[in-house]
Amino acid sequence: MVFAQNDNADSQNSDSSKQDNTSQSTDLVQLQKDPSNWTMWSGQYNGQRYSELDQINAENAGQLSPAWTFSTGVLRGHEGGPLVIGDTMYISTPFPNKVFALDLETHAIKWKYEPTQNPQVIPIMCCDTVNRGLAYGDGKIFLQQADTTLVALDQKTGKVEWKSVNGDPTKGESATNAPIVIKDKVYTGISGGEFGVRGHLTAYNVSDGKMAWRAYSTGPDDTMLIDPKKTMNAVTQKPVGADTSLKSWEGDQWKIGGGTTWGWMTYDPELDLLYYGTGNPGTWNPTQRPGDNKYSMTIFARDPDTGEAKWLYQMTPHDEWDYDGVNEKILVDQKIDGKDRKLVVHFDRNGFAYTQDRATGELLVAKKYDPAVNWASGIDMKTGRPKLVDEYSTDGKVDQNVTGICPAALGSKDQQPASYSPKTGLFYVPTNHVCMDYEPSKVDYTAGQPYVGSTVAMYPGPQDIVNPTKEFEGKRMGTFIAFDATTGEIKWSVPERFSVWSGALATAGDVVFYGTLEGYLKAIDAKTGKELYSFKTPSGIIGNVNTWKYDGKQYVGVLSGIGGWAGIGMAAGLTDPNAGLGAVGGYKDLKNYTQLGGVLTVFTLPDSVAKKAHTSEKVASK
């Protein structure tokens, strides 16, 4: 089996001196503040997925209509979303990971990049051949290919500037994440938690693609870039001490310990901290890996220049349910108990929303954001550990089917990122309302082969709902909620037939957007949750809704293309109910509502309505 070779193979242990990155840092920090652009996966470093644009608002959103569309020519799951910089949009696709640069004026293709990748990487991608988007910096567009090759493309021409291979697919390593650029480095992760890989986060020089540093999720302190005397335990607010990861694994199990890094990254320029999370430990059968299995399921705050871990917090020690911790870390400034705090908020797969001080990691609030969560009754605020419910534990129950666990392995929320509005102070969270039966089984490790050790069945959760905005008939598998992270309260809930697998977008116009697995792009009132607009796109939506402004008009765009974990049955043609790690049976009815596709749909207001809103903007600014 032959995969892409590393064009900078001799750079993997490079200790090249740090270049002057002041201009690069300043340029991107300033560029991401201009709401006409959408320069990174979340719009801004803080992960809020919030736009200051308000031409589209709660009064006129009902008059939205499609403006133009673009077919990617690729089927399977279209996660992520477009970048917009100036007069150009950049889109990536699922495997084979095409990249398109589109002219916003003519909608013509400026350039296209289509890599050659070995299709044998497809079987090792556990949950569809998705790609979660591109990154921009220093005149380059960065693509993380499925075969782990990180590619830098010239922003204007699409010419390959450099390539660096980040992993080894023959060992089960692949890639689906969106990179992020901070100062003079681009950061990327690794997938393969179901193949017994050892997760890591890696920084490469933007200029030449040489490796700057790599921080593993498990193992010896020096390889994890942990300083036992300086890296802080977020709960105890004391140094973690020596060899905390090694002591939490039996023997050398940490070498196949998982903790992959396929999720989203955020950054605080003032604190100069990079935030991300790690995934499940190797093998889903917890009986085979005694201990806390550190540092899988962990939030890390790192120095982006050196990679040194400043603080960390493990949410689900000794994970028994595949509750990856890779979901986005959203940075906000809010009051808690009357005191202004710099916060990081994380909606974890395990069903709990964590609010922490982002400078120190101090745990401030930890509450369920789906009341159906039952594997733990709560979080012990003194220890930071979940209060487990024995009935739903899978440890020590090899070949026993544990039933009725909520949430299912895909979590109360998977990768689909939430948004936050500074105007309302609320988070808008796309959620899964799905439970499961979980039967662990013994599994042996073989490099490059599945290392799961569990059979899972998924189904809709209980039908209780907090503050619903409308009636819903039948069983629901999703809810879109407004959440107060300072108190842990659900303010209102929009019921949905299937999981809400798209990323949310909040705007200064008091409109929140999201997509559904059936394919509807929806606009709702940020204050009430009332539906303002709905349009059915050609395929199910698992992409993230983004917005930008061009030639005086605000636009909203989203990729549709069913797939991802929820849609893996349709995307990969699977029929066994237990296939797709249990998702095929759980989402078997999805085929009755949508079909495969790969289309960008762009929405805007009619010229007369946009002009009126533009006039109002100018009056308000005076």
Side-chain angles (χ1 to χ4, degrees), residues 451-509:
Y451 187 55
V452 179
S454 179
T455 301
V456 176
M458 299 184 189
Y459 40 82
Q463 295 308 293
D464 299 337
I465 187 169
V466 177
N467 301 328
T469 61
K470 61 182 180 182
E471 297 293 326
F472 182 81
E473 295 183 4
K475 293 184 177 181
R476 83 181 197 283
M477 297 179 74
T479 318
F480 189 83
I481 66 170
F483 188 85
D484 184 338
T486 65
T487 62
E489 296 176 291
I490 299 171
K491 293 299 185 180
W492 47 255
S493 304
V494 181
E496 292 289 353
R497 185 181 307 277
F498 296 106
S499 297
V500 186
W501 207 268
S502 87
L505 167 71
T507 71

Side-chain angles (χ1 to χ4, degrees), residues 339-509:
K339 182 181 178 182
D340 291 327
R341 301 295 293 258
K342 291 182 178 294
L343 305 175
V344 54
V345 176
H346 169 72
F347 295 91
D348 196 63
R349 281 256 291 268
N350 68 17
F352 287 88
Y354 297 84
T355 303
Q356 295 171 265
D357 184 292
R358 68 176 181 265
T360 66
E362 179 188 355
L363 185 61
L364 303 171
V365 183
K367 298 287 186 180
K368 298 177 183 180
Y369 61 97
D370 184 342
V373 172
N374 63 17
W375 67 277
S377 60
I379 304 298
D380 186 320
M381 297 300 288
K382 292 183 178 179
T383 66
R385 301 178 70 93
K387 302 174 183 177
L388 303 183
V389 177
D390 289 342
E391 179 182 355
Y392 302 111
S393 171
T394 68
D395 196 21
K397 299 178 182 179
V398 178
D399 298 327
Q400 297 180 46
N401 194 26
V402 183
T403 62
I405 303 168
C406 302
L410 42 69
S412 293
K413 188 177 84 62
D414 195 71
Q415 60 77 35
Q416 59 269 45
S419 63
Y420 169 78
S421 171
K423 290 187 69 176
T424 64
L426 297 176
F427 291 80
Y428 300 95
V429 191
T431 76
N432 313 312
H433 186 67
V434 184
C435 300
M436 68 176 172
D437 299 340
Y438 191 109
E439 184 175 342
S441 56
K442 187 179 184 302
V443 62
D444 294 321
Y445 172 76
T446 301
Q449 298 300 311
Y451 187 55
V452 179
S454 179
T455 301
V456 176
M458 299 184 189
Y459 40 82
Q463 295 308 293
D464 299 337
I465 187 169
V466 177
N467 301 328
T469 61
K470 61 182 180 182
E471 297 293 326
F472 182 81
E473 295 183 4
K475 293 184 177 181
R476 83 181 197 283
M477 297 179 74
T479 318
F480 189 83
I481 66 170
F483 188 85
D484 184 338
T486 65
T487 62
E489 296 176 291
I490 299 171
K491 293 299 185 180
W492 47 255
S493 304
V494 181
E496 292 289 353
R497 185 181 307 277
F498 296 106
S499 297
V500 186
W501 207 268
S502 87
L505 167 71
T507 71

